[in-house]
Amino acid sequence: MKKLSVLFALLAVAMIAKASADLVVTADPIVVEPGTTTAKLNIKSNETVSQYAAFQLDIAFPEGITWQTLSSGGISKGSVKVRARDEEGEVLHSVTSSVPATNTLRIVCYSESNAFFVDASDGIFISLDLVLDGDLEPGVYNVKLSNMVFASSGDESGVSASGDKPADYTATITINGATETEVTFTMTAAHAGTLILPFDAEIPAEFDWVAYSDITLNGKTLVLGESTTTLLANTPYYIEGEKEGTYVFTGTPTNEAASVTNGILTGVFVDTEIAAGVGNYVLQNQADKGVAFYNVKMKAKTVPAYRCYITVSSDTQSNMYRIGGTTNIDEVTVDDNVDVYDMLGRKVIGPLEKGVYIKGNRKIYVK
C-alpha cells in the first residue's frame, strides 16, 4: 500500500503539470423566501477536479449572511463536500478555515498523501451551509469567490501559488419579493455625465455612450481608462456620448452600501451631501469654463442618487479637473485620408467632434 501511495503522489505531480489553465469556478445561484434563515452554497468547477490534490479559496459574504460554524469558530468538515476517498471509503483530505477579513471565510482543503479529488457529475466540490438573518430585505446579495488556487499539494496554511488560479466569481443570493428599480440617465448637451447602478445593465446599442470606471490623475487632468458599454452593479462610472437623450435602466437591486468608491470616483445610491473644501469635486458644465469636475468650495453640495463625484487628496488639489485624455488613446487632429469610425463602428464623415474614435486599428481621442 505504501508503494501505491508513493506512486499516486508521483502521478499527482505529473498530472497537475497538465492541468488546464481554463479551470472555471462558479456557484449555483440561491433563491429563498423572506424570513429564510438557512441555505446551502454549492461551489462547482467546469472541469474535472481529479487533476488536483488541494485547493483554497476565499468567500466574502454581505452583511447579514455568514457560514455555519463550530464552537471553535471553524467550519464543519461535513459542510464541505470532499470528493476523495481510499478503497475503504475513508476521506483522505483535511479541511481548515480562517477569517482573513471581516465576514470572509478562507477554506483550505488538502491531503497529506496528495490524494486526488474524486469528480462528481454535478461538478460540486464545496457544499457550504449558510446562516441568513431572517430580517434581510428582499433583493439580490452578492457572495464573492476570490484568491482561488488549485494545485498538486498543500497544507493547513494554504496551497502553493504555482497552481491554477481560476478567475474571481460573484454568486448571488436572491431573497424573493424585491421590486425592480428604475434609474433614469440623461445625456445633455454637455455630452458627459456620471452614473452608478445597483444592478448590472447594458448601454443600449442605439446610444453612442461609453462608460469609464478607471479614472486617474495626471497633473490637473483626469485620464480615462478603457471604455465599456457594460455597466456592472455597484460600480461608479463617468459617461461620455455625442447623442443626447434619456434612457431608463431597469433591474433588481443588489444590496450594498449607500456609496461605493473606486479610486477617486465615488457613486451614491441616495441623495448625499458632500462637504466643501475637502477635495470633493462634482461634474458641471460651467458657461465660461466648460465641462469639468469642479471643486465644492463655499458650501456643501448634494450629489443626487445614482450619480458620482471625485475626491482628490489635498497635496494635488486644484479648482477644477478637466477630462483631458484616455489611457492608451492618442490625442490627434484628423487631417489625412485614413478612415475614422465611432465607437459603434460607423464611419465618420467630416470634421471630428470631441470624443473617442477608431482610426487605423487604434483608438484616438479628440478634444
Side-chain angles (χ1 to χ4, degrees):
M1 287 294 292
K2 186 174 288 186
K3 288 184 178 179
L4 284 175
S5 296
V6 173
L7 177 60
F8 287 146
L10 291 174
L11 285 172
V13 174
M15 289 185 69
I16 198 67
K18 298 179 181 178
S20 171
D22 296 325
L23 178 67
V24 175
V25 171
T26 60
D28 289 338
I30 298 172
V31 180
V32 298
E33 296 303 316
T36 300
T37 57
T38 61
K40 193 175 290 290
L41 178 65
N42 292 323
I43 302 174
K44 62 175 66 173
S45 69
N46 68 322
E47 296 187 348
T48 59
V49 293
S50 61
Q51 302 174 81
Y52 307 96
F55 69 81
Q56 74 174 43
L57 77 164
D58 291 350
I59 311 174
F61 295 96
E63 186 175 352
I65 300 176
T66 187
W67 57 93
Q68 194 172 94
T69 64
L70 301 176
S71 57
S72 63
I75 61 171
S76 165
K77 178 181 283 191
S79 298
V80 179
K81 192 176 292 185
V82 180
R83 303 190 185 279
R85 301 176 184 274
D86 63 13
E87 294 176 354
E88 286 73 39
E90 181 182 352
V91 175
L92 299 178
H93 285 66
S94 298
V95 177
T96 65
S97 65
S98 59
V99 183
T102 302
N103 220 28
T104 297
L105 173 67
R106 174 169 294 171
I107 295 178
V108 177
C109 188
Y110 66 97
S111 167
E112 293 182 359
S113 61
N114 292 332
F116 295 144
F117 293 107
V118 176
D119 296 322
S121 59
D122 57 10
I124 297 172
F125 64 91
I126 291 181
S127 185
L128 185 64
D129 294 325
L130 305 183
V131 179
L132 282 62
D133 184 338
D135 294 327
L136 286 172
E137 293 292 329
V140 181
Y141 295 77
N142 288 332
V143 178
K144 299 178 182 178
L145 310 181
S146 64
N147 193 34
M148 294 184 280
V149 185
F150 286 70
S152 59
S153 63
D155 57 29
E156 66 276 1
S157 64
V159 175
S160 169
S162 62
D164 285 343
K165 299 178 181 180
D168 295 351
Y169 183 80
T170 299
T172 58
I173 299 176
T174 301
I175 299 178
N176 284 332
T179 57
E180 288 192 331
T181 294
E182 293 184 347
V183 179
T184 300
F185 177 80
T186 299
M187 183 64 74
T188 67
H191 304 297
T194 62
L195 179 66
I196 185 170
L197 297 175
F199 46 79
D200 293 343
E202 294 285 340
I203 295 176
E206 61 264 28
F207 293 92
D208 63 351
W209 307 337
V210 291
Y212 303 89
S213 61
D214 180 19
I215 299 179
T216 56
L217 277 178
N218 182 11
K220 295 183 179 181
T221 299
L222 298 176
V223 180
L224 308 177
E226 291 297 320
S227 64
T228 182
T229 57
T230 299
L231 305 177
L232 300 180
N234 311 306
T235 303
Y237 291 99
Y238 166 75
I239 297 182
E240 286 188 341
E242 293 303 310
K243 184 175 181 179
E244 299 173 26
T246 296
Y247 183 76
V248 179
F249 295 94
T250 304
T252 301
T254 59
N255 290 265
E256 298 286 348
S259 65
V260 175
T261 298
N262 179 27
I264 63 174
L265 193 63
T266 295
V268 300
F269 295 110
V270 295
D271 291 353
T272 302
E273 184 178 275
I274 57 174
V278 291
N280 292 325
Y281 295 75
V282 294
L283 184 66
Q284 294 178 331
N285 183 19
Q286 295 190 3
D288 56 338
K289 297 178 181 178
V291 177
F293 280 87
Y294 290 88
N295 184 226
V296 180
K297 285 184 177 180
M298 304 305 295
K299 62 180 181 179
K301 186 174 181 62
T302 298
V303 177
Y306 309 115
R307 297 298 181 258
C308 311
Y309 64 96
I310 67 171
T311 302
V312 180
S313 59
S314 58
D315 59 337
T316 58
Q317 284 182 24
S318 173
N319 289 330
M320 59 183 286
Y321 290 95
R322 293 190 181 279
I323 298 89
T326 308
T327 305
N328 297 325
I329 298 178
D330 301 325
E331 257 181 50
V332 300
T333 55
V334 178
D335 56 2
D336 54 32
N337 294 321
V338 177
D339 289 337
V340 177
Y341 299 84
D342 65 17
M343 295 303 292
L344 295 178
R346 299 171 300 195
K347 186 175 179 179
V348 179
I349 306 298
L352 298 183
E353 298 181 357
K354 178 181 179 238
V356 179
Y357 301 89
I358 303 296
K359 176 189 176 187
N361 295 320
R362 62 188 176 92
K363 289 182 181 178
I364 61 173
Y365 181 84
V366 179
K367 279 190 174 182

